[in-house]
Amino acid sequence: MASPDPDNAAAPIRVVALYQFTRFPDVESLRPPLLALCERLGIKGTLLLANEGLNGTVAGSDAAIDALLDHIHALPGCAGLDVKESRAAALPFDRMKVRLKREIVTMGEPDIDPLTGVGHYVAPEDWNALIDAPDTIVIDTRNAYEVALGSFSGAIDPETRSFREFPAWFRRFREEREKAGAMPRVAMFCTGGIRCEKSTAFLKAEGLDEVYHLKGGILAYLEQVPPEQSRWQGECFVFDQRVTVDHALQPRNRSLCPRCQGLIAGEDAPCPACDDLAFRDQA
């Protein structure tokens, strides 16, 4: 496991990224008590609820997060909730949102159900051996702006703008690859694992069996694999005010441009996309 940064370990805010595919028979009834609990505990972030499960990232004190996780673990099918944790010096969210959605991660393929079958899970400590093998192709299932910041060495970038574009991209990619022969085995990864639950389920539905994905995603890999053994290159985009983290899961002092939401080097840095200064007074 990567050595924790002592300053980061002492940071007062606990950040948890979590998801669970399950079947909620009455998802609407889950929202009010969940939102009320988060507001009472001072938790900030976003939770998405759908008939297919729950997904989100939230932050708060240790006691508050413990209470929230106890509540979620008691929901139908959530005893095995997938949770990844990090620390922050301050709350990385401004408010708390609990939203009802059609999908907890939007692929736009309504017949894909990860509960009926996904790819083979690969533990972070076994990931290097899989992606180093010459008969494996590695696909980054994230969006282009995330891939541009960092990825695994040799991974294929689908250059998608949203996860909805992934199925169409893969069908085109497969058609081209199969002109030269059968598809090799496929290893896929994403930030925390949830997009790979759906993307591997999609590939299985498309008739592929040799499909693998990184359990816990990039965040689990960065936490558990020492930097000197790592195949990761660059930074990892996270969906909160930290923006990106490095191999030690430390924020990289980046910001988003308030005009175009493009990535900038820091709060007062110029935006290369629109030549605007981040957070400049617009008056």
Side-chain angles (χ1 to χ4, degrees):
M1 179 177 293
S3 300
D5 182 273
D7 294 330
N8 189 53
I13 300 300
R14 186 170 161 197
V15 183
V16 294
L18 51 87
Y19 74 87
Q20 180 70 55
F21 283 99
T22 183
R23 293 187 176 92
F24 291 140
D26 183 16
V27 67
E28 291 85 358
S29 68
L30 303 181
R31 181 181 181 273
L34 192 54
L35 178 59
L37 176 65
C38 290
E39 290 179 337
R40 179 171 62 81
L41 295 172
I43 293 172
K44 307 291 186 183
T46 299
L47 292 173
L48 305 180
L49 294 169
N51 290 326
E52 68 177 9
L54 174 147
N55 176 30
T57 304
V58 295
S61 68
D62 285 323
I65 295 299
D66 283 340
L68 174 62
L69 292 179
D70 286 345
H71 178 92
I72 295 176
H73 281 139
L75 297 178
C78 290
L81 183 73
D82 187 285
V83 180
K84 285 166 287 297
E85 303 189 3
S86 57
R87 311 294 299 191
L91 282 169
F93 303 102
D94 295 324
R95 55 181 177 146
M96 184 67 217
K97 297 175 285 185
V98 180
R99 293 178 170 171
L100 297 175
K101 306 282 284 185
R102 284 189 174 185
E103 300 177 71
I104 57 174
V105 58
T106 304
M107 176 180 261
E109 294 280 334
D111 294 332
I112 298 302
D113 181 4
L115 293 176
T116 64
V118 296
H120 305 285
Y121 293 105
V122 180
E125 62 267 26
D126 299 324
W127 183 248
N128 288 354
L130 174 65
I131 67 174
D132 287 350
D135 57 344
T136 301
I137 59 170
V138 186
I139 299 175
D140 194 329
T141 67
R142 301 172 304 150
N143 299 321
Y145 67 90
E146 299 171 77
V147 180
L149 293 166
S151 190
F152 285 105
S153 178
I156 296 169
D157 176 9
E159 299 182 0
T160 53
R161 294 169 298 176
S162 75
F163 192 47
R164 278 182 174 274
E165 297 179 1
F166 183 83
W169 172 84
F170 182 79
R171 288 176 177 130
R172 294 192 303 270
F173 173 78
R174 180 183 185 181
E175 183 178 358
E176 289 298 316
R177 288 296 300 234
E178 289 185 340
K179 290 178 181 177
M183 277 284 293
R185 64 181 176 184
V186 178
M188 298 195 289
F189 63 93
C190 59
T191 307
I194 186 170
R195 281 177 279 190
C196 282
E197 298 277 358
K198 277 208 169 175
S199 57
T200 59
F202 169 74
L203 265 63
K204 298 278 281 187
E206 293 284 296
L208 297 180
D209 293 321
E210 287 288 288
V211 182
Y212 300 82
H213 56 126
L214 176 59
K215 185 171 179 58
I218 299 162
L219 296 178
Y221 182 91
L222 297 182
E223 179 185 13
Q224 298 178 38
V225 176
E228 61 272 17
Q229 299 175 14
S230 179
R231 302 297 190 272
W232 178 260
Q233 297 177 343
E235 303 169 26
C236 179
F237 185 90
V238 290
F239 295 88
D240 58 54
Q241 291 175 358
R242 294 173 297 169
V243 185
T244 71
V245 294
D246 60 17
H247 204 290
L249 299 178
Q250 293 292 294
R252 294 295 296 163
N253 192 32
R254 292 185 180 270
S255 301
L256 296 178
C257 172
R259 174 179 292 177
C260 71
Q261 294 301 293
L263 195 68
I264 56 179
E267 185 170 322
D268 298 318
C271 174
C274 65
D275 200 30
D276 187 28
L277 286 178
F279 308 110
R280 183 170 62 184
D281 187 357
Q282 300 296 314

